[in-house]
Amino acid sequence: MHPGLEAPHGLPGHLVGFVEALRARGIPVGPSETVDAGQVVTVLDLMDREVLREGLACALLRRTTHRATFDGLFDLWFPVAIGQRGGTEDIELPRTRTGDIDIPALREMLAELLAQEDASERLEQVAAQLVEQLGQYQSAQGPSFSAYQALREVQPQTLLAKILAGLALGPTDSDFGTEIARRAARQRIDGFRASVEAETRRRVAERIGRERVAGYGVARQAEDVDFLRASERELTELKRSTQRLARILASRLAVRRRHSRRGEIDLRKTLRKSMSTGGVPIDLVTRKPRPGRPELVLLCDVSGSVAGFSSFTLLLVSALREQFSRVRIFAFVDQVDEVTQFFDPRTPLDQAMTRIFTESGVVGLDGHSDYGNALASFARRYPDAVTSRSSLLVLGDARTNYRDPELSTLRTLAGTAKHAHWLNPEPRSQWGSGDSAADKYGQVIEMHECRSARQLTEVVSRLLPV
């Protein structure tokens, strides 16, 4: 048994370890789902790996968005093989007369396989051989494997034209048919790359342990992705989850409002009423609450460095507009402008963000973030925006490009508002480093680290006023 693949507690313990890995990646799996998975394992053919995969997925997953993370962890905890895969001798990589792998011939063979409809099994074998013969290298800790090295010379992404030629598109094919074929070819290329990456993770897990590989090699849930490092696909997935997160926040606000209707204790009246019981305050008297939805003012940095964080937060707040009596949104790069009118339930976020940069005055001559100038112009141009009934939320990384941070202006705004908070997508350890004025701003306004959607949801659910 390889050192990274021991199962000292048998199949039940192995299954529990798999469940713990799912939880560590943000997939909620409770005791009942774990028991269901144990029952599934007792009735399925454990030699049929894909049937086992689907059975465990049905028992453990609650949302389709969890599937990609589940598959990555399943491949580590239930690998297709241990060591070099068997059956790869059925297909042989082309070689030159000197015995080296013939890269041009290998590219031709790969293009032919990718153009075939039923070559998935042979492509898996090619992927395994690529990792074994091209992806192996010597690290400081011993032999290891690299997907980048395995694909570096083959470069399957450059085979699109050859694959399309192999799909036998005729001269009469329409542009629509050609585009469909092009997308199918790209999907096959992406699938082959995914096979190489999965094979690499499997081989590396045998050497250093599946837990370590899962820590960096398996995709996180969209809600756990760092805003400042999120890819376009991850940001798109985040936007899809906005309505669900908004419902969670709305329900939490509703509970807080329900509890707030009880009112605060009126100490004066309580003590007066306790005179009839010898000064013992048996019956508490509360002040009648004055319900009223608060006003929300957002001041957002929409520059490129924090655009993903700001746009997602704006989308989340837009979905919560009905929870407030009034919402005003101001955006800035080096100048500030009100953009409330661009956000409504019928306008997609991408369109709203485009209108911000084309129809509003958020970018001046410089075009670099200038928090000090934005704060000063906000206080000067919109003196009535922040009142004693307002809750002020500032969104941004507080990187001022070494310019005056205008701390006095922020101090005045925070002092005027009923609540004032700053949401920062950078790690707390980087506050105050370089051109960051987060440490200075943090002395004036309460600043919170919000690096992921999950963290943002937790922070906002605590901070939003009732």
Side-chain angles (χ1 to χ4, degrees):
M1 177 68 74
H2 286 68
L5 301 178
E6 295 91 347
H9 303 292
L11 184 57
H14 188 73
L15 181 59
V16 170
F18 176 57
V19 169
E20 290 175 349
L22 292 174
R23 290 173 180 162
R25 277 297 179 183
I27 299 179
V29 181
S32 61
E33 287 87 0
T34 306
V35 171
D36 291 342
Q39 293 176 337
V40 165
V41 170
T42 63
V43 298
L44 293 181
D45 181 4
L46 299 183
M47 300 303 294
D48 193 330
R49 185 167 172 268
E50 292 308 311
V51 168
L52 178 62
R53 182 197 299 268
E54 297 304 322
L56 290 178
C58 290
L60 297 173
L61 302 185
R62 302 178 186 178
R63 294 201 301 268
T64 56
T65 54
H66 296 157
R67 186 58 192 258
T69 303
F70 171 88
D71 284 338
L73 292 173
F74 180 88
D75 289 338
L76 291 176
W77 259 257
F78 300 91
V80 68
I82 296 177
Q84 186 173 357
R85 291 175 63 168
T88 55
E89 63 276 2
D90 296 339
I91 187 168
E92 190 172 329
L93 300 186
R95 295 184 178 275
T96 63
R97 293 180 178 179
T98 60
D100 297 326
I101 294 179
D102 190 338
I103 298 299
L106 175 59
R107 285 169 52 81
E108 291 289 341
M109 182 182 75
L110 184 58
E112 292 178 4
L113 290 174
L114 289 171
Q116 297 175 14
E117 292 290 340
D118 54 351
S120 58
E121 185 176 348
R122 299 184 68 192
L123 285 170
E124 289 282 346
Q125 295 173 351
V126 171
Q129 290 206 38
L130 279 181
V131 173
E132 180 68 27
Q133 300 184 37
L134 291 179
Q136 193 166 175
Y137 70 99
Q138 286 293 327
S139 67
Q141 290 78 31
S144 189
F145 299 87
S146 165
Y148 168 77
Q149 184 164 313
L151 295 170
R152 181 180 57 186
E153 295 185 75
V154 179
Q155 298 183 349
Q157 68 275 9
T158 63
L159 299 176
L160 183 61
K162 293 183 178 181
I163 298 172
L164 289 175
L167 291 176
L169 295 176
T172 60
D173 285 325
S174 63
D175 293 339
F176 178 75
T178 302
E179 181 60 27
I180 293 297
R182 190 181 301 274
R183 291 186 181 183
R186 288 198 184 102
Q187 289 177 353
R188 295 180 186 182
I189 292 173
D190 291 342
F192 178 75
R193 292 181 63 91
S195 297
V196 173
E197 291 167 357
E199 179 70 11
T200 303
R201 288 194 296 270
R202 180 183 73 82
R203 297 304 302 273
V204 174
E206 295 173 355
R207 190 177 65 85
I208 66 175
R210 59 173 71 90
E211 290 81 5
R212 287 182 60 186
V213 175
Y216 68 83
V218 177
R220 289 185 177 274
Q221 293 298 295
E223 292 125 350
D224 295 319
V225 173
D226 195 319
F227 283 121
L228 301 184
R229 295 178 175 84
S231 64
E232 287 296 326
R233 182 189 62 79
E234 290 167 336
L235 287 175
T236 301
E237 189 62 41
L238 271 179
K239 293 171 186 176
R240 290 175 183 168
S241 65
T242 303
Q243 292 300 325
R244 181 178 59 81
L245 295 177
R247 287 195 299 270
I248 293 173
L249 285 175
S251 64
R252 292 179 182 177
L253 285 174
V255 171
R256 289 173 58 191
R257 286 201 179 99
R258 189 162 58 248
H259 290 167
S260 68
R261 293 194 186 109
R262 300 171 183 172
E264 297 178 353
I265 296 175
D266 190 326
L267 184 60
R268 180 170 173 270
K269 291 184 178 181
T270 298
L271 291 177
R272 178 176 291 180
K273 192 171 183 178
S274 69
M275 298 300 292
S276 61
T277 58
V280 180
I282 295 177
D283 297 320
L284 301 180
V285 181
T286 58
R287 298 187 182 97
K288 288 186 178 181
R290 297 176 181 177
R293 297 188 175 184
E295 297 178 356
L296 185 64
V297 177
L298 274 82
L299 186 58
C300 314
D301 181 2
V302 293
S303 61
S305 60
V306 293
F309 163 69
S310 295
S311 61
F312 176 77
T313 308
L314 287 172
L315 187 62
L316 188 63
V317 171
S318 296
L320 289 169
R321 291 178 78 107
E322 62 183 22
Q323 302 293 325
F324 304 94
S325 61
R326 188 182 187 189
V327 176
R328 296 186 70 179
I329 303 173
F330 300 86
F332 69 90
V333 176
D334 56 345
Q335 294 184 357
V336 69
D337 199 0
E338 183 166 8
V339 296
T340 310
Q341 67 275 16
F342 300 146
F343 292 88
D344 60 68
R346 300 177 301 277
T347 304
L349 176 65
D350 294 340
Q351 183 178 337
M353 296 301 291
T354 300
R355 293 185 65 188
I356 287 177
F357 286 100
T358 58
E359 301 180 28
S360 67
V362 299
V363 182
L365 296 176
D366 183 73
H368 295 89
S369 295
D370 189 342
Y371 282 79
N373 185 59
L375 289 169
S377 60
F378 173 70
R380 183 178 63 254
R381 294 180 58 191
Y382 308 99
D384 60 338
V386 178
T387 67
S388 59
R389 296 184 56 195
S390 303
S391 294
L392 174 65
L393 281 183
V394 184
L395 312 179
D397 58 5
R399 293 202 170 269
T400 63
N401 289 298
Y402 301 101
R403 295 166 179 169
D404 183 3
E406 286 285 346
L407 296 177
S408 59
T409 303
L410 180 62
R411 186 176 291 107
T412 301
L413 293 171
T416 303
K418 186 176 182 180
H419 308 282
H421 302 278
W422 189 306
L423 309 184
N424 193 327
E426 281 199 339
R428 190 179 297 272
S429 59
Q430 295 181 14
W431 295 1
S433 64
D435 62 343
S436 171
D439 54 340
K440 299 176 182 177
Y441 284 133
Q443 298 173 6
V444 177
I445 186 174
E446 190 173 357
M447 188 170 290
H448 308 270
E449 180 186 272
C450 294
R451 298 173 57 191
S452 65
R454 190 183 302 278
Q455 197 174 18
L456 174 66
T457 303
E458 292 298 325
V459 171
V460 171
S461 65
R462 296 197 316 267
L463 300 184
L464 286 182
V466 296

